[in-house]
């Protein structure tokens, strides 16, 4: 089967949905400029050429304006895919996201719907604290938003197509170090990620986790870059006879609790690895679910391996220290298995 | 032309040269893989940082952007501390926590640079408010790009600066591009300075390639601010020679445009003027250059020889 990068897979999803549905439009900074970048990570390259500047809308640096305009257009039945260049800039548009996109349908008693996708690159790449946050976990606290976080090209394409067709606001987080270097900006420390993506059309429903590796001794739940570090760790642990089951939730909201709980019932141990900060984070939510719904199956305390509760520091040595690594995942598993 | 002493003229020249040669050197080292991350460089815009900061006192403040190296040098952040920060070394001005986009040094009046476009402008107002309440006669300059003026922060801040009559100078470096986007695609006005009228403050356009013009306009604005007459918006028309960041080949710019602006190079023009005025000779120029080069090499060596931070310091500085 042919292999694509995540950037290519996302581009293909956008192209297919735009060909199929004239209501799908793109809104963002530097996404369609001739001779330009196709967005900060090349994802929209070629789309302005194919669909024109009416549907690939380059904007000023106006995040509130971008998200607000996308919301209004969505209410009127367009299907905007808006984007910010780094997810840190979601904060600039926080009112539109949290008070408007997430709530207008509810407040209207269900009169309107907001079929909007907001793409946001997440994760740390050595640029310092304002270009480094992993914010996908934070947004699960705002009811009314769906949160998607794909880790492979196959998942990215199928989930983006479903997100565009979904009638709700979807925040779609892409990890900067997973875009893959082919056709995308090469980031130091990036994963050379090519994945199989079939030619035929497919979608992946939101709310279905994927067991990325089967195992019996311990369950690890991880997403985005941490999923890949976990898979590497699992490979190494296997050589020592430790069998790790790795679950990729793929969407944080809605969350496929069942797959995670069933896995815990089988392995009786769970480690959550997350690039979001530990306190009040996504890993805490997963832990709480396990305590509430599968406590009796646990043979060891739940463990969270998360980014330290600090702004992400600049220097590579410091950044490396605060974010979970393969070695720290391995160490945590060994500790849990005694 | 404004009256400036020979020493002051030569200082302006030396500072512009320092920024240019520092940026060029850092770029070489970046290509060698010695500088982590990416860089947003300042070559071409030197007259703005230098012309403005030359008007300021050490205890006046500036806020800066993702493109802060020039502002930092002009405001007097020691070059070796800047270099060390870029290299991610513990001796850097922000202890290796900030990096290229967050260079700053409180002791010389530079807040850590702010890389969220537009976000430094309201903060500059707050600094100005403190000066105003304490009646210190200090002023603050907020540097930002053309792109920032399309962001809500800019508009909220200008209005508030205006109504509270704050001692702040808004310096917009209009280099005609926000990332890859030409200003004509995202703004209908010809001059950003016209936006000042919406807030009832003066707006001035100045040739940002002419350090003396920048100095003259900045002096007026700073005097106004010190006298309690409130803010000014200064738009400096300028150009960045490099791509937006060092991974940007800038293919969206016509070659002729780049050539046009390079033909108006602020350092070359100023040197010509100084030669004409007999303030500078070729010999003197060579001497200044080699002094500047020496300072840069010392700064770079300091950065290279400085230790990396010990990883645990990542957990420090979160709370006061
Ligand atoms: C709020 C926000 N949106 C987007 C970005 C990404 N970004 C960084 S610099 C930049 C362009 C800024 O243009 P301008 O203000 O003209 O400054 P210049 O780079 O030309 O110095 C963009 C879009 C950002 N840092 N912050
Ligand atoms: Mg600009």
């Amino acid at each position: 089967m042919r292999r694509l990068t995540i950037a290519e897979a996302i581009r293909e999803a956008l192209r297919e949905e735009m060909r199929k549905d004239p209501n799908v439009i793109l809104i963002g900074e530097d996404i369609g400029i001739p001779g330009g970048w196709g967005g900060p990570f090349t994802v929209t390259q070629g789309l302005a050429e194919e669909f024109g500047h009416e549907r690939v809308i380059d904007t000023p640096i106006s995040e509130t304006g971008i998200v607000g305009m996308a919301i209004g257009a969505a209410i009127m039945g367009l299907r905007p895919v808006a984007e910010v260049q780094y997810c840190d800039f979601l904060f600039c548009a926080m009112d539109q996201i949290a008070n408007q996109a997430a709530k207008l349908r509810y407040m209207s008693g269900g009169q309107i719907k907001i079929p909007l996708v907001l793409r946001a690159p997440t994760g740390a790449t050595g640029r310092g604290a304002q270009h480094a946050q992993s914010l996908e976990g934070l947004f699960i606290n705002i009811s009314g938003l769906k949160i998607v976080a794909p880790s492979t090209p196959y998942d990215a394409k199928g989930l983006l197509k479903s997100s565009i067709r979904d009638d709700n606001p979807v925040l779609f987080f892409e990890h900067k170090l997973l875009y893959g270097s082919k056709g995308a900006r090469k980031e130091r420390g990036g994963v050379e990620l090519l994945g199989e993506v079939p030619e035929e059309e497919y979608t992946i429903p939101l709310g279905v986790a994927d067991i990325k590796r089967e195992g019996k001794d311990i369950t690890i739940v991880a997403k985005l870059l941490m999923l890949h570090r976990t898979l590497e760790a699992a490979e190494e642990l296997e050589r020592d006879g430790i069998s790790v089951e790795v679950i990729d939730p793929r969407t944080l909201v809605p969350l496929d609790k069942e797959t995670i709980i069933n896995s815990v019932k089988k392995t009786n141990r769970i480690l959550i690895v997350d690039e979001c900060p530990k306190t009040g984070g996504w890993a805490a939510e997963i832990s709480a679910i396990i305590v509430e719904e599968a406590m009796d199956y646990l043979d060891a305390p739940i463990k969270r391996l998360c980014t330290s509760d600090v702004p992400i520091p600049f220097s590579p040595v410091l950044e490396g220290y605060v974010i979970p690594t393969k070695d720290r995942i391995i160490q945590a598993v060994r500790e849990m298995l005694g | 032309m404004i009256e400036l002493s020979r020493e002051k003229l030569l200082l302006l020249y030396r500072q512009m040269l320092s920024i240019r040669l520092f940026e060029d050197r850092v770029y070489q080292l970046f290509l060698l893989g010695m500088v982590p991350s990416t860089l947003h460089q300042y070559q071409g815009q030197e007259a703005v940082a230098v012309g403005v900061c030359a008007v300021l006192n050490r205890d006046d403040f500036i806020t800066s952007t993702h493109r802060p190296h020039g502002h930092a040098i002009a405001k007097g952040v020691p070059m070796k501390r800047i270099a060390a920060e870029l290299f991610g070394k513990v001796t850097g001005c922000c202890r290796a926590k900030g990096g290229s986009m967050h260079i700053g040094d409180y002791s010389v009046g530079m807040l850590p640079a702010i890389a969220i476009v537009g976000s430094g402008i309201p903060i500059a107002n707050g600094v100005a408010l403190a000066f105003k309440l304490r009646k210190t006669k200090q002023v603050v300059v907020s540097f930002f790009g053309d792109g920032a003026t399309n962001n809500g922060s800019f508009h909220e801040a200008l209005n508030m600066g205006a109504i509270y009559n704050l001692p702040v100078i808004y310096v917009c470096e209009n280099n005609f591009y926000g990332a890859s986007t030409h200003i004509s695609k995202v703004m209908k006005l010809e001059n950003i300075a016209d936006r000042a009228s919406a807030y009832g403050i003066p707006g001035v356009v100045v040739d940002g390639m002419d350090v003396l013009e920048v100095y003259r306009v900045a002096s007026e604005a700073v005097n106004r601010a010190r006298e309690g007459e409130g803010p000014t918006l200064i738009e400096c028309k300028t150009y960045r020679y490099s791509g937006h960041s060092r991974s940007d080949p800038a293919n969206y710019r016509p070659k002729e445009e780049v050539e046009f602006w390079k033909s108006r190079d602020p350092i070359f023009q100023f040197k010509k003027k100084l030669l004409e005025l007999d303030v500078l000779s070729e010999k003197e120029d060579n001497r200044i250059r080699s002094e500047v080069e020496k300072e840069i090499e010392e700064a770079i060596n300091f950065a290279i020889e400085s230790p990396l931070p010990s990883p645990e310091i990542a957990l420090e500085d979160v709370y006061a």
Side-chain angles (χ1 to χ4, degrees), chain A residues 30 33-37 59-63 89 92 126-131 185 188 308 310-311 313-318 321-322, chain B residues 35 37-38 85-86 88 96-99 101-102 115-116 147 150-151 178-181 185-186 244 247-248 251-252 309 311 314 318:
Chain A
D30 303 290
I33 302 289
W37 312 336
T59 70
I61 306 170
S62 308
E63 281 75 12
F89 315 152
C92 301
R127 276 167 176 63
Q130 296 180 337
H131 288 73
R185 194 163 92 190
R188 246 175 265 228
S308 313
V310 297
F314 166 72
S315 187
V317 263
L318 302 179
Y321 181 73
V322 301
Chain B
V35 185
S37 189
T38 190
E85 190 64 28
L86 298 182
K97 303 256 176 97
M101 289 197 276
H102 304 297
I116 306 294
N150 291 320
N151 195 278
S180 74
T181 304
K185 290 201 166 84
V186 286
H244 168 65
S247 52
D248 173 21
N251 294 330
Y252 45 83
V318 182

Side-chain angles (χ1 to χ4, degrees), chain B residues 1-2 4 9-10 12-13 16 47 207 209-216 264-282 285:
Chain B
M1 206 185 77
I2 39 164
L4 284 180
L9 290 168
L10 287 177
L12 297 180
Y13 182 65
M16 288 204 287
D207 178 1
M209 306 305 260
D210 183 339
V211 69
L212 293 179
E213 271 300 285
V214 174
Y215 183 92
R216 181 180 63 78
R264 310 191 56 240
D265 184 75
I267 299 174
F268 181 76
Q269 283 196 93
F270 192 47
K271 177 179 162 185
K272 231 174 88 188
K273 187 168 281 173
L274 294 181
L275 288 172
E276 281 163 19
L277 291 173
D278 241 0
V279 170
L280 187 71
S281 63
E282 286 291 352
D285 180 43

